[in-house]
Amino acid sequence: MSRKTWRREIPLHLMIFPGLLLILLYSYVPFFGLAMAFQKFLPARPFFDNPWVGLKHFQYVWDMPNSLRVLWNTVYIASLKIVAGQLVPIVVALLLNEVRKDWLKRGMQTLIYLPHFLSWIILGGILIDILSPSVGIVNQIVQFFGFEPIYFLGDNRWFPLTLVVTDVWKEFGFSTIVYLAALTSINPSLYEAAVIDGANRWKQTLYVTLPGILPIVILLATLSLGNVLNAGFDQVFNLYSPSVYQSGDIIDTLVFRTGLEQAQYSVATAIGLFKSIVSFVMISLSYVLAYRFANYRIF
């Protein structure tokens, strides 16, 4: 690169510093706070003068009566979200790919994409009204067909399923667009060859379309393994209540209650550190699998 070009591009290079500064402040400086997981944190004392207690807080978390239940809830809900979040967008993308009216196709894409932009604070209020057992429109339909009202947000049997369905409804539009983009990369001559061989639309989908998007499916599926401990704090926090702690309490909500409501900062930090370590392992594993099966690599 010539010196003249370098000088001309200096403003562009300087534009990266605000982003680097934010990453440094919010992603790396908090690393020092992880020391609280190994200390008896006393707010009135200087941070590094607090007494060190080793792995005592991790042992305390392990001995908590609800720790295994919370871990199971987290993995169970997150796994269901990952599976449903992969299958639904693929099916919708295949169906939209068969729509021949461009205005209808674009309109449906926009409609299913809209919930992605709404926060769980807004959606939480909407869902509480819609799923209400007394005045909610869903239960009015259920009662119209002669069934008893369902406590979607107050029954431990229904709460995990409600979390999965509402999460898929919010996010499947975004993934659908990714798969629609993958469908456009399939060579049209493959469909022409399939038609000449007598393949109908189902056979074309089975032997041309699905193999064409298979690398993207494998890539997104393997990368989603990193979220196996991310069951969605925003969603669960806005929808759950003490009556569904048994089936809806996850690691993130346990950290919130332990740290901010019970003021056990060191214990909450230990729980968060455990989750971060497991998530790091899963993300590393998913990256290796994505490289092996989809030839995906960052560098």
Side-chain angles (χ1 to χ4, degrees), residues 145-218:
F145 288 100
F147 297 99
E148 294 293 326
I150 300 172
Y151 289 78
F152 291 100
L153 302 179
D155 190 325
N156 282 301
R157 295 173 301 173
W158 286 93
F159 188 69
L161 180 62
T162 305
L163 291 177
V164 175
V165 172
T166 54
D167 182 76
V168 171
W169 167 71
K170 182 178 184 296
E171 300 296 343
F172 84 96
F174 179 82
S175 299
T176 298
I177 292 177
V178 174
Y179 288 119
L180 285 173
L183 288 171
T184 60
S185 65
I186 299 176
N187 190 346
S189 62
L190 296 176
Y191 290 103
E192 297 171 0
V195 171
I196 294 174
D197 290 340
N200 55 24
R201 296 300 299 177
W202 170 246
K203 294 292 185 182
Q204 293 175 37
T205 302
L206 197 60
Y207 295 108
V208 178
T209 306
L210 288 179
I213 65 172
L214 189 59
I216 296 297
V217 174
I218 294 174

Side-chain angles (χ1 to χ4, degrees), residues 17 25 49 82 89 110 187 194:
F17 281 102
L25 288 177
D49 287 344
I82 291 173
T110 304
N187 190 346

Side-chain angles (χ1 to χ4, degrees), residues 100-165:
R100 293 293 173 252
K101 300 290 186 182
D102 288 339
W103 62 270
L104 179 60
K105 189 175 182 178
R106 288 196 296 269
M108 294 179 69
Q109 289 181 41
T110 304
L111 188 63
I112 63 176
Y113 194 36
L114 280 179
H116 174 75
F117 296 101
L118 300 177
S119 71
W120 277 113
I121 297 176
I122 298 174
L123 287 179
I126 295 173
L127 291 172
I128 289 173
D129 290 336
I130 292 177
L131 301 177
S132 169
S134 57
V135 296
I137 186 172
V138 175
N139 270 308
Q140 289 183 3
I141 296 174
V142 170
Q143 293 179 74
F144 176 79
F145 288 100
F147 297 99
E148 294 293 326
I150 300 172
Y151 289 78
F152 291 100
L153 302 179
D155 190 325
N156 282 301
R157 295 173 301 173
W158 286 93
F159 188 69
L161 180 62
T162 305
L163 291 177
V164 175
V165 172

